[in-house]
Amino acid sequence: MATAHSRTAARLMLAPATVLLLAWMLIPLCMTLYYSFRRYRLLTPERQGWVGFRNYENFLTNPAFRDAFVNTLILVVGVLIITIVLGILLAILLDQPMFGQGIVRILVIAPFFVMPTVSALVWKNMFLNPVNGLFAYAAKGMGLQPYDFLSQAPLASIVGIVAWQWLPFATLILLTAIQSLDSEQMEAAEMDGAGPLARFRFITLPHLSRAITVVVLIQTIFLLSIFAEILVTTNGGPGTASTNLTYLVYVESLLNYDVGEGSAGGVVAIILANIVAIFLMRAIGKNLDA
Amino acid sequence: MGTITLNQVTKSFGDVQVIPPLDLSIEDGEFVVFVGPSGCGKSTLLRLIAGLEDVTSGEIVIDGRPATEVPPARRGLAMVFQSYALYPHMSVRKNIAFPLRMAKMDKAEQDRRVDHAARILNLTDYLDRRPGQLSGGQRQRVAIGRAIVREPQAFLFDEPLSNLDAALRVGMRMEISELHAQLATTMVYVTHDQVEAMTMADKIVVLRAGHIEQVGTPLDLYHQPRNVFVAGFIGSPTMNLIEGPEAAKHDAHTIGIRPEHVAVTDDGPWQGTVGVAEHLGSDTFVHVHGTGLAETLTVRVPGDIAVRHGDAVRLTPDLACLHRFGDDGLRL
Ligand SMILES: Nc1ncnc2c1ncn2[C@@H]1O[C@H](COP(=O)(O)OP(=O)(O)OP(=O)(O)O)[C@@H](O)[C@H]1O
Ligand SMILES: [Mg+2]
């Protein structure tokens, strides 16, 4: 792949895919940008025109925006913490030789195969429902008052549901990393007098740092745009208690019929996501260098 | 101090007994080398001593105290692994200091010991590097450094030089021997390279399939191999082993003669044609075929004797240096 000829050939062959990807991403992006500077309300479609930054002003000064921003952060950070901590513990557990290892591993991966809408509905109706849910049933069984998760602790419930979905991903990546740990290193540490906790802290955890970085980066990208789980469970409520940025954009453009402000919100979300990405890369990106 | 005794130690993995009952005692300050062909259980034996594997039965005594149930960290032994097993995310200094840090030694004493070890091992300039930025020989020295700072009862080495190139191996071999002379600590060293065994050991333990075939000084093993296996294993090139009528002439089942004890002469009793002559400069190893005694006889002759492929030669063994073995393979 080093000669000039082969490089040209490689570029030519990559071109169709690149063009397709560009079109796929650029056209929606440009249209979003375009609408974000236009007056475009579906209720009064005939009153159009350029409005400058008015849509942005409206979106940013909307009291729901601050809530949505904070909720987005809580959602991302909460799910990251839960999946990484539990993921490491599960990965260590799954790495131990045990009876039925193959089946247990498949069971752990299973939640990842369930689509978000379905799993959120399953959680909502089978587990969290204050009348028919399993948790309510268990609470009643113990003589306690059933807890209405989705209205009392909507954001925490969504964090739980999303963490449940992403735990397999984190576990899987961390498990492969743990399996690649040189057993002689562990034995050397054992001979050097490191107990199980010290071995975890000084050998396993540093070894996992790269895998943890990958998990954080990939999950952040997806967690910033959580939508289906909120739509089918709480609808962003009560109030704005479980509205995140993605959901707020949806509310503005499709519930309030203001495509202009929704587009402005989309652009704001893109910018915020990029800021988060830059901070993340600064903070932990160095772990990815060989 | 660093005495290690194994009493009737056995080890099985599942149904397979890798180490049959085995007795061995290692004196304080001794340099003991385990040699044997691949898969004979050398590493397993070392790991049993280290405590990284549990014995199936039998008893291990270290420094006069029963150690069979003692966890590896508290046996007072330090091990150097074949893969070095350095901690890749720690600097050389942190690597070497790790056992001290785990022992909660105070920082000043840690630094003193690390600097001391680094000086002995010529690592002073590399203390701030990561293991990934070191050459194989330097990594090896870091691994040794990590072992010596603990001031252990004994060192355990599992083929520490097998990843190095030939020249470096000779250099490190001498460094380890010198270190042993300097520290006077017991060392147990596993290798399958019998040159390493011969040059470094105070005492060699020859293993085959978990059995101890012979224990002795390098020269004991060289001059008085207890059986055919040891005779064939120790010495380079290997001893010529001859069976059949020629052996019967000496009232033995097998006779053995080392290459250096056969001479190329004009009127020797054995004759054959030269297959390959390996000229090393100082010596020439001549591989002779068609003698009717064994498939190939190896002969060591001075480097200035001109022999080539296809030459017919006559050979004279030095009968004073003949080794005789009986039907059971044991020395007569
Ligand atoms: N964990 C294990 N489970 C089952 N069998 C094992 C295990 N470890 C070693 N063995 C077997 O025990 C025997 C001795 O192995 P060991 O590693 O001690 O050999 P070795 O003498 O060190 O060989 P080498 O020179 O190739 O390193 C081998 O036949 C090996 O297959
Ligand atoms: Mg081995």
Side-chain angles (χ1 to χ4, degrees):
Chain A
M1 284 298 285
T3 66
H5 179 74
S6 65
R7 268 199 299 267
T8 321
R11 274 194 204 126
L12 268 178
M13 286 189 238
L14 278 174
T18 317
V19 169
L20 197 69
L21 262 180
L22 265 182
W24 210 271
M25 288 170 26
L26 273 184
I27 292 174
L29 182 67
C30 292
M31 287 182 69
T32 309
L33 271 173
Y34 170 74
Y35 285 130
S36 73
F37 291 107
R38 303 275 300 177
R39 179 187 165 85
Y40 183 12
R41 297 190 180 190
L42 296 178
L43 290 178
T44 51
E46 69 287 352
R47 291 175 56 196
Q48 291 196 355
W50 296 97
V51 292
F53 281 93
R54 179 104 54 77
N55 283 330
Y56 288 89
E57 249 175 76
N58 286 345
F59 187 80
L60 292 173
T61 52
N62 182 345
F65 169 72
R66 231 186 62 96
D67 293 346
F69 183 68
V70 172
N71 286 344
T72 307
L73 285 186
I74 293 176
L75 194 56
V76 171
V77 174
V79 173
L80 280 179
I81 292 175
I82 295 176
T83 50
I84 286 174
V85 171
L86 290 186
I88 290 176
L89 294 179
L90 266 179
I92 291 175
L93 209 62
L94 290 178
D95 191 38
Q96 313 293 325
M98 60 175 169
F99 178 74
Q101 197 171 38
I103 291 176
V104 173
R105 283 190 187 168
I106 290 178
L107 283 181
V108 168
I109 297 163
F112 209 46
F113 296 130
V114 182
M115 58 187 102
T117 342
V118 174
S119 73
L121 277 175
V122 167
W123 272 93
K124 178 185 179 181
N125 296 323
M126 279 186 63
F127 292 102
L128 304 177
N129 189 300
V131 180
N132 305 316
L134 276 179
F135 291 158
Y137 187 75
K140 275 184 257 174
M142 288 186 295
L144 299 173
Q145 193 66 25
Y147 188 70
D148 188 357
F149 289 92
L150 288 177
S151 50
Q152 305 286 326
L155 193 59
S157 305
I158 289 175
V159 167
I161 294 172
V162 176
W164 179 80
Q165 282 167 20
W166 282 93
L167 185 57
F169 173 77
T171 307
L172 218 58
I173 300 240
L174 295 168
L175 178 62
T176 52
I178 282 188
Q179 284 171 336
S180 74
L181 179 57
D182 176 17
S183 67
E184 284 200 346
Q185 251 180 58
M186 275 301 201
E187 289 177 343
E190 196 178 343
M191 293 213 62
D192 282 345
L197 281 181
R199 287 205 293 277
F200 174 75
R201 156 134 168 50
F202 291 109
I203 313 294
T204 311
L205 213 50
H207 177 78
L208 287 182
S209 65
R210 196 182 294 196
I212 292 177
T213 309
V214 169
V215 171
V216 169
L217 289 178
I218 293 182
Q219 286 200 12
T220 304
I221 294 170
F222 285 93
L223 296 179
L224 279 171
S225 56
I226 291 289
F227 177 73
E229 291 84 343
I230 298 176
L231 181 72
V232 301
T233 53
T234 64
N235 272 314
T240 54
S242 60
T243 298
N244 69 351
L245 278 178
T246 327
Y247 196 80
L248 185 61
V249 170
Y250 162 76
V251 169
E252 286 303 334
S253 41
L254 293 177
L255 298 185
N256 298 344
Y257 302 112
D258 189 340
V259 177
E261 193 180 327
S263 299
V267 175
V268 169
I270 293 171
I271 293 170
L272 289 178
N274 275 290
I275 293 174
V276 171
I278 288 171
F279 271 113
L280 267 182
M281 286 309 280
R282 277 273 169 84
I284 56 177
K286 65 176 192 305
N287 284 340
L288 292 180
D289 300 339
Chain B
M1 279 285 292
T3 60
I4 300 171
T5 313
L6 309 186
N7 291 326
Q8 293 292 305
V9 166
T10 68
K11 176 69 187 174
S12 308
F13 291 110
D15 294 339
V16 188
Q17 191 171 51
V18 177
I19 309 276
L22 178 147
D23 290 299
L24 178 69
S25 73
I26 295 168
E27 303 303 324
D28 181 34
E30 235 176 1
F31 198 121
V32 177
V33 175
F34 296 168
V35 279
S38 190
C40 69
K42 307 179 293 286
S43 300
T44 307
L45 195 54
L46 199 71
R47 292 166 58 83
L48 287 174
I49 295 175
L52 295 172
E53 302 275 0
D54 292 325
V55 297
T56 305
S57 69
E59 185 193 23
I60 297 174
V61 182
I62 296 173
D63 191 18
R65 280 190 295 271
T68 320
E69 303 295 331
V70 178
R74 291 205 272 114
R75 294 193 182 191
L77 307 173
M79 182 146 168
V80 177
F81 291 84
Q82 181 172 358
S83 67
Y84 314 142
L86 301 179
Y87 311 128
H89 49 273
M90 295 185 204
S91 66
V92 169
R93 174 181 290 281
K94 290 225 173 99
N95 260 284
I96 297 179
F98 188 73
L100 307 179
R101 189 166 164 201
M102 288 298 110
K104 305 213 163 49
M105 187 178 282
D106 69 67
K107 195 79 183 67
E109 175 68 6
Q110 281 188 25
D111 284 343
R112 197 188 62 73
R113 289 212 196 177
V114 171
D115 289 333
H116 180 66
R119 238 188 346 270
I120 294 180
L121 296 165
N122 277 326
L123 284 171
T124 313
D125 296 339
Y126 307 105
L127 282 177
D128 295 320
R129 293 207 197 166
R130 295 281 178 97
Q133 301 164 319
L134 299 178
S135 74
Q138 288 162 346
R139 277 180 221 186
Q140 181 62 67
R141 282 203 285 262
V142 176
I144 295 175
R146 193 173 63 188
I148 63 181
V149 285
R150 298 175 55 193
E151 300 180 355
Q153 305 276 355
F155 292 97
L156 310 176
F157 293 93
D158 191 357
E159 307 207 18
L161 306 186
S162 56
N163 291 343
L164 304 181
D165 70 51
L168 201 54
R169 206 178 303 174
V170 175
M172 283 303 297
R173 202 162 81 195
M174 301 220 274
E175 282 186 36
I176 293 177
S177 293
E178 254 169 48
L179 195 68
H180 177 244
Q182 219 172 331
L183 301 175
T185 309
T186 312
M187 291 189 176
V188 183
Y189 187 105
V190 165
T191 179
H192 58 249
D193 178 349
Q194 51 100 10
V195 178
E196 266 173 37
M198 293 295 285
T199 51
M200 300 172 82
D202 294 326
K203 184 157 97 183
I204 296 181
V205 177
V206 183
L207 291 166
R208 175 169 59 163
H211 280 286
I212 294 184
E213 293 289 331
Q214 187 169 6
V215 180
T217 65
L219 290 185
D220 275 349
L221 265 57
Y222 181 80
H223 291 300
Q224 307 279 327
R226 206 172 65 87
N227 57 28
V228 176
F229 176 78
V230 178
F233 194 77
I234 298 290
S236 169
T238 54
M239 182 187 281
N240 298 301
L241 292 170
I242 299 163
E243 294 179 1
E246 186 67 25
K249 274 193 225 163
H250 298 274
D251 297 326
H253 179 264
T254 311
I255 55 169
I257 183 100
R258 295 203 180 274
E260 50 270 44
H261 298 143
V262 185
V264 174
T265 49
D266 295 334
D267 54 353
W270 299 343
Q271 58 179 342
T273 52
V274 174
V276 178
E278 296 175 302
H279 297 280
L280 302 184
S282 57
D283 297 305
T284 300
F285 297 130
V286 187
H287 300 271
V288 181
H289 299 303
T291 53
L293 304 168
E295 198 175 326
T296 313
L297 284 187
T298 311
V299 181
R300 192 175 98 184
V301 297
D304 49 9
I305 291 186
V307 278
R308 282 207 313 277
H309 172 76
D311 288 353
V313 288
R314 297 188 78 87
L315 307 171
T316 309
D318 179 354
L319 293 180
C321 299
L322 204 66
H323 302 268
R324 293 161 56 245
F325 303 97
D327 288 338
D328 49 3
L330 289 181
R331 182 179 190 82
L332 293 175

